[in-house]
Amino acid sequence: MVIFLTLSNRENELKFKTDKVIIGNIVETVTATGAVNAVTTILVGTQVSGTIKHIYVDFNSPVKRGQLIAQIDPATFEAQLEQAKANLLTAKANVEKTAAVLLDAKRTMDRNRELFLRDLVARKELDTSETNYEVERAQVSAAKAQVAQAEAQMKYAEINLRYTRILSPMDGIVISRNVDVGQTVAASFQTPTLFTIAHDLTKMQIDSNVVEADIGAVKVGQPVEFTVDAYPDIIFKGSVSQVRNAPITVQNVVTYDVVVKVDNSELKLKPGMTANVSIIMSTKKDVLKVPNAALRFKLSERRKDMAEEKEQGSGVWIIHYKKPKRIKVTTGISDGIILN
C-alpha cells in the first residue's frame, strides 16, 4: 500500500491514509470539447434579388448536383432580357444605317476628287466631302461598338435570368432551409443564405478546442474517443486528421482547432452536437498503478525522524513495520488521477 496523507487523532497518534498498488492498464489523454459538423457544408445563396416563387426541397431532402431546388420569380428578368434583345436589334440596325451613309459619303468624295482634277469644283468642296467620309466611317465604328455593348447587356440579362433558378452545387442533403414561398430576398449588399447543404453525413468531423498547454502533445493520426449528450452510454471513436495552426483567443485563453474525423455510417451523430473529446496520447497495459496523490505525499518536518530514508527523487511512501518508508520509483504516464 502507498500513503496518501497523514491523520492525527486526539491522542496525537500518527495515522496514515493508504491505497493499494494495483496492476492494470492506463491511458494518458488530452480532453477537449467541440462541435460535430459535416466534413463539407455549403451555404447556397442567390446573386439576384426577387420573390421566391417555388421551393422544391425541404429539410433532410437529398439533392443531386445541378438539381433545381428553388425558383425566384423570373418575370422581371425575362422583361429585362427582352429589352436587351430589342436594344441589340436596334444597335445592329444602326450599323446598317451608318454603313449606308458611309457608302454615300464615299461616292460623294470620289466624285469630287474626279471633278477637282478637271477643275470643276473648288478645293473646299473636296475637303468637305473627305471630312464627311471620315466622320461617317467613325460613326460606323461607333455603331459596331454599340452592338458589342448591347450583346454584353443581353448576356448579362441572360445570366441574371439563369440565376433565378437556384441549383444544388453538389450531391448531399439539405440540413437547413431559410426561406419560404413568397419571401423576398435582397442580394444588393451581401448574398443571402437560402439553404445549407451537407455533402455526406456518413462522414463527420469534430472541430475541438485544445488549450495551448496540451497542443504540443497532439499529433495527426492519434486515436480519439468521445461522447455526446444524445447517447451518453456510447463511446464513439475517431482519429486526429488535422491540427490547425491558427490560434483562437477567447477571454485571454488561447486554444487551437484540432479536427477529428469520425465515421457516422449509422447516422447517429447530427451536425451541431457537442462532443466531449479524449485524445489518446499513450496507452500502457499491465503496469503498476498508484494514485497521483501518493507521489505528492511528504512527511512533515517533525515526523521525518520516523522515516527510514530521506526524500530524494521520485518515490512513494509505504508502511513498513508500522513506520513510513520511502521507495524510489520511476514514473510513467498519468491519466490525471492514476500514475504508473
Side-chain angles (χ1 to χ4, degrees):
M1 292 187 177
V2 292
I3 298 174
F4 265 121
L5 50 85
T6 306
L7 300 173
S8 297
N9 60 13
R10 286 181 292 182
E11 287 76 23
N12 204 29
E13 180 184 353
L14 192 63
K15 291 186 177 181
F16 300 99
K17 184 176 180 181
T18 61
D19 200 357
K20 293 181 179 180
V21 177
I22 61 175
I23 296 177
N25 303 333
I26 190 168
V27 179
E28 183 180 21
T29 62
V30 168
T31 58
T33 59
V36 179
N37 296 303
V39 175
T40 303
T41 301
I42 292 182
L43 305 179
V44 180
T46 174
Q47 292 185 267
V48 296
S49 302
T51 302
I52 300 295
K53 187 175 183 179
H54 299 290
I55 293 178
Y56 301 102
V57 296
D58 203 346
F59 290 90
N60 301 333
S61 295
V63 294
K64 296 292 184 181
R65 179 183 177 89
Q67 177 181 335
L68 180 64
I69 58 178
Q71 173 80 58
I72 294 176
D73 190 351
T76 301
F77 301 94
E78 289 172 346
Q80 290 175 352
L81 178 58
E82 293 301 320
Q83 181 65 50
K85 288 180 179 179
N87 291 340
L88 177 59
L89 292 176
T90 300
K92 288 182 177 179
N94 193 41
V95 170
E96 295 177 359
K97 177 181 177 181
T98 55
V101 175
L102 175 64
L103 180 60
D104 182 65
K106 186 176 184 306
R107 290 170 180 169
T108 301
M109 180 185 67
D110 292 341
R111 182 169 57 252
N112 286 341
R113 283 178 176 174
E114 184 178 351
L115 293 175
F116 178 75
L117 293 176
R118 299 178 184 179
D119 292 330
L120 297 176
V121 296
R123 179 68 188 187
K124 181 179 180 181
E125 290 187 19
L126 176 60
D127 292 342
T128 300
S129 61
E130 289 177 345
T131 300
N132 291 338
Y133 173 75
E134 295 298 331
V135 170
E136 295 304 329
R137 189 167 66 173
Q139 289 292 339
V140 171
S141 298
K144 290 180 179 179
Q146 289 176 349
V147 169
Q149 185 178 17
E151 288 176 342
Q153 291 175 344
M154 187 182 72
K155 289 180 180 179
Y156 180 70
E158 289 175 341
I159 292 172
N160 282 340
L161 180 59
R162 286 201 302 269
Y163 281 155
T164 62
R165 294 168 50 86
I166 310 301
L167 307 179
S168 173
M170 65 178 183
D171 296 348
I173 185 170
V174 178
I175 61 175
S176 176
R177 175 175 65 82
N178 303 319
V179 291
D180 293 301
V181 173
Q183 183 175 338
T184 300
V185 292
S188 303
F189 302 103
Q190 61 181 8
T191 302
T193 299
L194 308 183
F195 303 92
T196 302
I197 297 178
H199 176 57
D200 184 5
L201 293 183
T202 62
K203 295 179 178 61
M204 306 287 277
Q205 72 178 31
I206 300 172
D207 294 294
S208 60
N209 298 318
V210 177
V211 297
E212 59 179 324
D214 296 330
I215 196 64
V218 180
K219 307 295 180 185
V220 173
Q222 288 174 331
V224 175
E225 294 180 348
F226 68 96
T227 60
V228 294
D229 293 342
Y231 308 100
D233 298 328
I234 299 178
I235 297 178
F236 297 91
K237 297 184 182 295
S239 62
V240 176
S241 66
Q242 190 179 52
V243 181
R244 295 179 177 171
N245 293 323
I248 303 170
T249 304
V250 179
Q251 295 181 347
N252 295 326
V253 177
V254 179
T255 62
Y256 292 86
D257 186 5
V258 175
V259 181
V260 178
K261 289 294 178 66
V262 180
D263 178 70
N264 189 36
S265 54
E266 296 181 359
L267 298 178
K268 289 185 176 180
L269 299 174
K270 300 183 184 300
M273 283 184 170
T274 300
N276 300 306
V277 178
S278 295
I279 303 171
I280 300 174
M281 304 289 104
S282 178
T283 302
K284 289 188 177 181
K285 296 183 178 180
D286 300 326
V287 294
L288 293 175
K289 302 195 300 182
V290 298
N292 283 342
L295 196 70
R296 297 192 297 267
F297 175 79
K298 291 183 180 182
L299 280 178
S300 62
E301 291 295 331
R302 66 189 184 91
R303 300 293 182 181
K304 283 188 176 180
D305 57 337
M306 298 178 58
E308 298 183 5
E309 294 187 18
K310 294 183 179 181
E311 298 185 27
Q312 292 180 349
S314 298
V316 294
W317 293 85
I318 65 172
I319 302 298
H320 184 67
Y321 294 106
K322 297 184 178 181
K323 288 186 178 182
K325 179 181 179 180
R326 193 170 187 272
I327 299 176
K328 293 182 180 180
V329 296
T330 301
T331 59
I333 65 175
S334 172
D335 63 0
I337 300 175
I338 303 297
L339 180 76
N340 91 288

